[in-house]
């Protein structure tokens, strides 16, 4: 029997501090009404003194416990993030130390909001190839440190959080059936953080020009996202010979409720079968899918043998999907 990977444990964590739309009304020229209507977001969590690896640690402990896996059993830690502790070393290295996962290799992966699904594909392929048996994958972001809190077009959208999964080797029918990764770098400037890298190293000029904050062409991104995701979900189901009616749950990236609804409509899926938590967390980029997955698992909304579709869209531009038989 060929090897397959299966998610055997999930976990999630978000900082305690809550920032509501009403709090934001006091900071910038915006309103709860605008944010709710245009995005579906009501509040988001904001880290105080926590770094990305601190968020990873809490989510990972839960996922390991749920899977019944010890830190010493982990062979690889992948952290999907664009807001890690430091550019070097990787946030995965900090997590490896904090967990005491002494046998684990560790690296970060950056595909912005698609990071978790890119990571899922990498982990799945390591396991399918026979190279590894047990992998910890985390999506974690502290977006709040990279947001211009005077820019109403971005500061209302993002939040902080982490979600983790443990993947283990199986030879059964259940597990990750397929993953699909795409990108188009021509639209790199739709969502970017232009300062601090080798193109624009940190300087007084980059600080003055606010180049260390997320910039987004929201409306342009919105249009491409809706179009791309509709095709992505249909293609993913088709490749697996599954009809939309056969789906138990859609777990989309949590950027905008209007985008999520458009995708669900394309699949003729009632919203009761779509995971939505952006009202409570905002867009937590690579953390949004694993947080939503952990919530539906813990709420008992998915059961053994269910087909679950995960999809994301983000900076790069990147987009990705995965079909799982739970
Ligand atoms: N409060 C009040 N008004 C606002 C705010 C705000 N917070 N932000 C913008 N506006 C105004 C604009 O200035 C504009 O005013 P104007 O008409 O007078 O010029 C008006 O609202 C409409 O602005 P749009 O940008 O056209 O609004 P839109 O309906 O497109 O919603 C949003 C903006 C929510 C950003 C939406 O475009 C979106 O969700 N885009 C996709 C985001 C996404 O999917 N990103 C990918 C993942 S992120 C990642 O990878 C890191």
């Amino acid at each position: 029997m060929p090897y397959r990977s299966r998610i055997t444990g999930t976990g999630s964590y978000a900082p305690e501090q809550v920032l509501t739309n009403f709090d934001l009304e006091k900071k910038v020229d915006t309103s709860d009404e605008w944010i709710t209507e245009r995005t579906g977001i009501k509040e988001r969590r904001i880290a105080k003194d926590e770094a990305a690896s601190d968020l990873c640690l809490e989510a990972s402990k839960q996922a390991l416990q749920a899977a019944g896996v010890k830190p010493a059993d982990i062979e690889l830690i992948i952290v999907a993030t664009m807001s890690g502790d430091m550019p070097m070393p990787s946030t995965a290295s900090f997590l490896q130390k904090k967990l005491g996962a002494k046998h684990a290799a560790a690296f970060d992966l950056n595909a912005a909001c698609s990071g978790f699904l890119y990571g899922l594909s990498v982990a799945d392929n390591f396991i399918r190839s026979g190279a590894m048996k047990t992998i910890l994958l985390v999506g974690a972001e502290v977006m709040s440190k990279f947001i211009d809190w005077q820019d109403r077009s971005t500061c209302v959208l993002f939040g902080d959080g982490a979600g983790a999964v443990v993947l283990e080797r199986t030879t059964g029918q259940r597990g990750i059936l397929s993953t699909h990764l795409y990108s188009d770098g021509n639209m790199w400037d739709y969502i970017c953080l232009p300062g601090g890298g080798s193109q624009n190293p940190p300087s007084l000029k980059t600080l003055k020009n606010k180049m260390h904050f997320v910039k987004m062409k929201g409306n342009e991104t919105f249009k491409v996202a809706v179009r791309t995701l509709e095709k992505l979900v249909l293609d993913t189901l088709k490749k697996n010979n599954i009809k939309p009616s056969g789906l138990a749950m859609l777990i989309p990236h949590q950027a905008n409720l209007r985008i999520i609804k458009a995708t669900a409509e394309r699949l003729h899926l009632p919203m009761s079968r779509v995971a939505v938590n952006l009202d409570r967390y905002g867009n937590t980029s690579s953390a949004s899918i694993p947080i939503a997955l952990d919530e539906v698992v813990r709420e008992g909304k998915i059961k053994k043998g269910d087909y679950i579709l995960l999809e994301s869209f983000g900076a790069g531009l990147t987009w990705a999907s995965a079909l799982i038989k739970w």
Side-chain angles (χ1 to χ4, degrees), residues 30 34 38-39 113 152 156 191 218-219 255-256 258 283 313-315:
T30 190
W34 191 96
R38 299 292 178 121
T39 72
C113 297
R152 70 176 182 173
V156 304
I191 316 164
N219 199 264
N256 190 310
R258 289 185 289 144
N283 178 352
F313 186 90

Side-chain angles (χ1 to χ4, degrees), residues 265-305:
E265 271 166 31
R266 196 76 183 85
L267 292 170
H268 305 292
L269 214 59
M271 287 307 284
S272 57
R273 281 199 269 151
V274 182
V276 175
N277 66 16
L278 86 174
D279 50 325
R280 288 173 286 127
Y281 299 116
N283 178 352
T284 56
S285 189
S286 65
S288 89
I289 290 177
I291 294 175
L293 175 66
D294 182 48
E295 288 187 344
V296 298
V297 169
R298 284 174 196 274
E299 287 163 10
K301 288 187 178 164
I302 46 178
K303 52 182 196 312
K304 216 170 160 176

Side-chain angles (χ1 to χ4, degrees), residues 74-183:
I74 306 167
E75 291 162 291
L76 172 65
I77 298 174
I78 305 174
V79 174
T81 188
M82 47 155 281
S83 53
D85 291 27
M86 299 178 187
M88 179 183 73
S90 71
T91 300
S93 294
F94 284 111
L95 180 61
Q96 190 249 5
K97 168 181 174 284
K98 288 176 184 182
L99 280 171
K102 54 187 177 197
H103 303 305
F107 67 86
D108 287 359
L109 182 156
N110 178 356
C113 297
S114 301
F116 180 79
L117 292 185
Y118 267 64
L120 193 71
S121 185
V122 172
D124 181 47
N125 278 294
F126 264 117
I127 289 176
R128 276 176 191 265
S129 72
M132 289 186 184
K133 284 185 185 155
T134 310
I135 298 179
L136 173 66
L137 167 65
V138 194
E141 304 286 2
V142 187
M143 298 298 291
S144 59
K145 309 282 184 219
F146 302 93
I147 293 299
D148 177 357
W149 290 100
Q150 291 169 343
D151 174 9
R152 70 176 182 173
S153 71
T154 52
C155 77
V156 304
L157 303 174
F158 296 98
D160 303 336
V165 298
V166 173
L167 290 135
E168 292 187 84
R169 186 200 279 180
T170 173
T171 49
Q173 296 298 312
R174 292 163 60 210
I176 296 168
L177 301 185
S178 69
T179 56
H180 310 271
L181 311 181
Y182 304 91
S183 73

Side-chain angles (χ1 to χ4, degrees), residues 171-249:
T171 49
Q173 296 298 312
R174 292 163 60 210
I176 296 168
L177 301 185
S178 69
T179 56
H180 310 271
L181 311 181
Y182 304 91
S183 73
D184 187 347
N186 288 307
M187 288 172 276
W188 69 269
D189 60 341
Y190 278 33
I191 316 164
C192 62
L193 198 158
S198 51
Q199 196 178 112
N200 299 296
S203 66
L204 283 176
K205 189 179 144 213
T206 59
L207 274 178
K208 196 166 150 265
N209 292 337
K210 297 189 168 190
M211 291 167 77
H212 300 274
F213 295 131
V214 171
K215 317 277 175 205
M216 184 161 77
K217 297 181 181 177
N219 199 264
E220 288 89 329
T221 307
F222 184 94
K223 287 176 198 153
V224 185
V226 171
R227 222 175 31 237
T228 306
L229 289 172
E230 285 183 356
K231 180 169 166 19
L232 175 68
V233 291
L234 291 173
D235 284 354
T236 306
L237 291 178
K238 203 169 164 195
K239 278 178 188 149
N240 286 281
N241 274 324
I242 289 168
K243 292 198 177 76
S245 56
L247 261 189
M249 183 71 71

